[in-house]
Amino acid sequence: MSILSFLLGEKKKTASVAKERLQIILAHERSGRSAAEPDYLPALQRDLVAVISKYVNINPNDIKVNLERQDNLEVLDIKIELPEAR
């Protein structure tokens, strides 16, 4: 990293920002939260729609986000239906 980029700061790529957000959410979930806290999945779904809509024209209903828990395993399932290429 050059001193100039350190001082001015570098603009992060959208994918890396989304990855960091997902890691924070998953770490928060694994640390344990009370049942009274609101579910983060609707907010995650809205964020995904906003990011993907920058690049592809999609219907917000075409993105489904689900968290499945089985024993000690948690799976974040994200299904995105993209329109057919013309």
Side-chain angles (χ1 to χ4, degrees):
M1 174 186 285
S2 71
I3 292 184
L4 185 58
S5 65
F6 176 75
L7 293 175
L8 297 177
E10 287 188 48
K11 186 176 180 182
K12 291 187 175 185
K13 302 277 186 211
T14 304
S16 66
V17 171
K19 180 180 175 182
E20 288 175 11
R21 288 179 182 169
L22 283 173
Q23 288 173 337
I24 291 169
I25 290 169
L26 290 174
H28 176 64
E29 277 294 302
R30 288 185 181 138
S31 68
R33 62 185 182 105
S34 70
E37 287 186 60
D39 194 9
Y40 68 88
L41 293 179
L44 176 61
Q45 186 168 345
R46 284 190 302 275
D47 287 348
L48 287 169
V49 168
V51 170
I52 294 170
S53 293
K54 289 181 182 180
Y55 305 98
V56 179
N57 187 16
I58 60 167
N59 183 339
N61 296 328
D62 291 340
I63 296 181
K64 305 291 184 217
V65 179
N66 188 29
L67 181 65
E68 298 175 8
R69 293 186 175 111
Q70 299 172 351
D71 300 324
N72 291 337
L73 180 66
E74 293 181 354
V75 177
L76 182 61
D77 184 31
I78 302 173
K79 295 181 182 179
I80 304 169
E81 292 183 34
L82 298 175
E84 292 184 22
R86 294 181 183 165

